[in-house]
Structure formats: C-alpha cells, structure tokens
Amino acid sequence: MTSLPFPRNRFALVIGGGPAGLMAADALLSAGVPVTLAEAKPSLARKFLMAGKSGLNLTKVEPQDAFLRAYGERAQWLTPMLDAFGPDQVRRWAEGLGQPCFTGSTGRLFPAAMKASPLLRAWLARLDTMGLERHTRWRWTGWETGAPRFDTPDGPRTLHPGATVLALGGASWARLGSDGAWADLLSVQGIPLAPFAPSNAGLLVAWSAHMERHFGEPLKNVTFRAGTLENRGEAVISRRGLEGGGLYPLTPALRDGHPLTLDLMPDVTVEALSQRLSRPRGKQSQSNALRKALRLPPAALGLLMEMARPLPNGPEALAALVKALPIRHAGLRHMDEAISTAGGVPFDALDTGLMLKGLSGTFCAGEMLDWEAPTGGYLLTACLATGLWAGRHAAAYVK
C-alpha cells in the first residue's frame, strides 16, 4: 500500500463525482483549498446525465415555504442549506456557467439546452481551470490507519487530506454509481445509519389482458392519495404497473402500507358526478353510458373498469368510486429501480456543518444523507445545496 505524494493536510478530498461532490469541490476551490476528487466510475456525474436525457429539471421556482414543504420532516435540517442555495441561486449558478434557463408553466426550471451534458462540460471546465485534480476508476475501500484508501487502476493508494467530503449517493441505479456500498464502510466505524428504502418509485401492478391496449398511455390531471399525502399530476400505465411524477411524492405513505386511491375527476364534485350518472341511459350499455356521462380519457376509463368491475349500479356509489378509486398493486418497484432512496446518514450523526460527529474532518453531502423529496427539481437542488454547505465547512476545517 503506497501513498500519493500530496502534502499531508494541505488539501481536501472529495469522494464521489456527482452534483453534490462537484459542488463541494467548487466550494473548496473557491475558498483556496486544493481538491482531489475520486470517482469509482469511468466518468463523472452519470446519474446526473441520465436525469437530463428527458429534460434537465434543475429546480422548482415557487415561494420558499412551499419549496421547503416538499422535504417533509427533514426540512428543518435542510432549511439553512436551501436558504443559502435555493432556486434563485441554482438559476444564477447555471447561467454563470453559460447555460440560460427558462421556467415552465408549472414552475420547473430548465436550462435552455434541456440537456445535462452542456452544463456538466462547462462546470468541469471551470473546476479544471480552478485546479481540480480528478481521478476516475478510484473506488474507495475505507480507511487504513485513518487515511482514505482506494483501489485504482495503478494499484492501492492512500491519501492524507486535511478534510474529506463524502458524496457517495444513495442506493438506487447502482450501474450509474449509487450502489450504497459505502454504508458498510461507515458502519464499521460506528456511524449510525438509517436503512435504505425506495423513494420516487413506481408501483407494481399485475394487469389483466384488457389493459394491454393502454400500456404507455398517460393518466393526466388526476389526484393521487395515500395516507395523509395527496398530489395532483400525471402517471403512465406501463407494462409493469404505474409510474410518473404524479405518483412519486406518495412513496413515503405507500412504503408504510397506506392504500392508494385515485380521483379520476378532481375538478368535478361527487354531487355533480351523481347527477350526470343519474340520467336515463335508455338502450345504451352501462359502459357506453358511463363513457358518455364521464367523458374520461380511454386510459382513465380502462383503469376504472380494471379496478372496480363489477361496477355498482347506484349513481352515488359509482360517483364515489370515480372520486376515490382503490388501486390494487403489489408494492413499490425494487429499490435499484427507484429514482432515489430514503435512508443513509441521519442528521443526528452530523454537526451543523455536516461533519460526522464520530469522524472528525469527514463531511457528508447529497443523497447519502437521510432525506427524501419528490422529483421536480427538489432532489437536485438539495444535492447541490448540501454539497456547497459541506464544502464550505470542510474548507473552514482545513484552514
């Protein structure tokens, strides 16, 4: 085992090359602290690039109190970090990298290019100019006599940084780098961890053959409810079940076993629906009368028939069903297929600068912390904000 010829304690080490790690490196370099960044994969920010393939949603532009509510019970911990780097700062940061942005009708902020790759290239170019030393295919394997140890293409290496920022991601999409393997390395050091769980995950549904015609069709403008959570949005009927941004915010309640219901017509009251359904149907079949009375899109009508047949005859009972359709499912999709994960390093194990109380000089950032938020810009913003916060406090620690 050999050590690289860096001056001991004169530089900072960042482990993990995603948005949180890159932002920590940015903060350290901006404070005049040399940075070595180590990434296990052959290239940086793979999950970030994957997220940008369908349009890179940077953040959500809305009042700060509404923005913070998206983080649930962890908002109290994240508030100072999101106050320091919230939606306004995300926009200025992206535009400072030469990427103009626009806000969509729902308040979501996107770069004009829509993709992640131009933003990442500009960011890495700036970090390189600032002196970032980066290494890929360096897999962190723990500590040796207090020094971070790596398996590298050139053999084992140890480093002796003045501070270390861990930005190792959660435990979903392992092929992109977030495999959660770091949890065992922290556990042996006595660091308490919250168990990983899927977040922003689709539901598994065993459809009948009648639903095949609807695979790939969206359920638009419906309201999802589970437990105390409610969200209005869209989901897609896929071969394996349901997935989409309208459903994802309910993951915490679904994990806890709360049943899922859908309001297929959130803008129409149950009384108005009952009146529509009370009209004589004449010689029409029930399905034709239902289609004309409700004017539901084919996907929504198909879902109603799939989940509720045989339908009740009374208009009041049928209207109530349309407003609260129970969805039979087989649970959340596997954690590695989830967009993100809950669990990880609890905030109680960290000081106010995100330094581990049990490992002096070691900071944590990004999705490896025990928080979760829905898609729509909240995930990325908190990763950037915690990375900046940890980087700034690591810089102060080195100095």
Side-chain angles (χ1 to χ4, degrees):
M1 187 74 66
T2 59
S3 298
L4 289 180
F6 292 109
R8 183 184 295 267
N9 298 332
R10 295 287 298 277
F11 73 101
L13 171 65
V14 175
I15 307 177
L22 292 174
M23 187 57 81
D26 200 326
L28 284 154
L29 291 166
S30 297
V33 178
V35 176
T36 295
L37 185 145
E39 164 60 44
K41 290 295 183 179
S43 58
L44 304 181
R46 290 190 164 197
K47 195 172 180 181
F48 178 67
L49 291 172
M50 176 66 77
K53 283 193 172 182
S54 58
L56 181 63
N57 184 190
L58 291 170
T59 192
K60 180 76 176 290
V61 179
E62 61 185 350
Q64 188 73 344
D65 58 342
F67 187 81
L68 291 172
R69 281 198 299 272
Y71 298 92
E73 60 185 21
R74 299 295 187 269
Q76 62 173 324
W77 296 96
L78 293 168
T79 292
M81 303 164 211
L82 293 168
D83 284 344
F85 199 81
D88 290 342
Q89 290 82 2
V90 170
R91 177 192 286 273
R92 290 198 292 269
W93 163 74
E95 292 181 343
L97 290 169
Q99 303 299 310
C101 299
F102 71 93
T103 304
S105 59
T106 60
R108 296 183 179 188
L109 184 75
F110 299 89
M114 291 299 288
K115 298 179 180 178
S117 51
L119 179 61
L120 180 61
R121 283 196 299 269
W123 197 8
L124 291 177
R126 187 178 78 178
L127 293 174
D128 290 342
T129 300
M130 295 168 72
L132 176 65
E133 175 127 14
R134 49 187 168 111
H135 300 275
T136 56
R137 296 187 174 90
W138 277 37
R139 175 165 287 278
W140 179 52
T141 58
W143 289 271
E144 182 175 295
T145 61
R149 181 181 65 235
F150 298 88
D151 284 339
T152 81
D154 298 318
R157 295 288 187 269
T158 58
L159 299 180
H160 299 276
T164 299
V165 178
L166 303 177
L168 295 159
S172 64
W173 290 83
R175 65 186 178 86
L176 300 179
S178 299
D179 57 13
W182 53 265
D184 291 338
L185 302 180
L186 291 185
S187 291
V188 299
Q189 298 293 324
I191 304 300
L193 298 174
F196 292 121
S199 185
N200 293 296
L203 278 180
L204 295 168
V205 180
W207 302 115
S208 71
H210 298 289
M211 287 297 290
E212 289 186 10
R213 73 187 75 173
H214 300 299
F215 290 169
E217 293 183 5
L219 294 166
K220 292 187 175 183
N221 199 26
V222 298
T223 296
F224 300 84
R225 295 188 180 94
T228 60
L229 300 181
E230 176 179 309
N231 188 56
R232 184 165 173 168
E234 298 184 12
V236 173
I237 298 173
S238 70
R239 182 171 296 277
R240 299 179 62 194
L242 289 171
E243 52 193 84
L247 174 66
Y248 294 155
L250 275 66
T251 305
L254 295 172
R255 275 200 317 260
D256 290 341
H258 292 284
L260 173 66
T261 62
L262 264 66
D263 183 346
L264 297 175
M265 301 181 69
D267 293 322
V268 183
T269 65
V270 68
E271 292 78 14
L273 278 177
S274 295
Q275 290 179 4
R276 288 191 196 180
L277 294 167
S278 297
R279 298 168 187 165
R281 75 186 195 198
K283 295 182 179 180
Q284 297 180 92
S285 66
Q286 185 188 38
S287 59
N288 279 337
L290 190 64
R291 177 176 55 81
K292 291 180 180 180
L294 299 180
R295 297 188 291 277
L296 284 171
L301 186 59
L303 186 66
L304 175 64
M305 302 300 284
E306 175 78 3
M307 294 292 166
R309 282 184 298 189
L311 297 176
N313 289 320
E316 293 84 4
L318 188 51
L321 196 60
V322 172
K323 296 292 290 180
L325 178 65
I327 302 299
R328 299 185 304 274
H329 61 86
L332 296 167
R333 291 172 67 168
H334 188 271
M335 185 162 60
D336 193 51
E337 300 176 12
I339 292 176
S340 59
T341 51
V345 180
F347 285 97
D348 286 342
L350 303 157
D351 69 9
T352 56
L354 296 182
M355 184 172 70
L356 286 167
K357 295 176 181 177
L359 287 174
S360 182
T362 300
F363 300 77
C364 297
E367 201 183 329
M368 68 181 295
L369 301 176
D370 181 22
W371 60 274
E372 63 179 319
T375 58
Y378 302 106
L379 287 169
L380 181 56
T381 300
C383 284
L384 295 171
T386 57
L388 181 69
W389 191 267
R392 285 176 172 172
H393 284 83
Y397 184 90
V398 172
K399 289 185 173 183

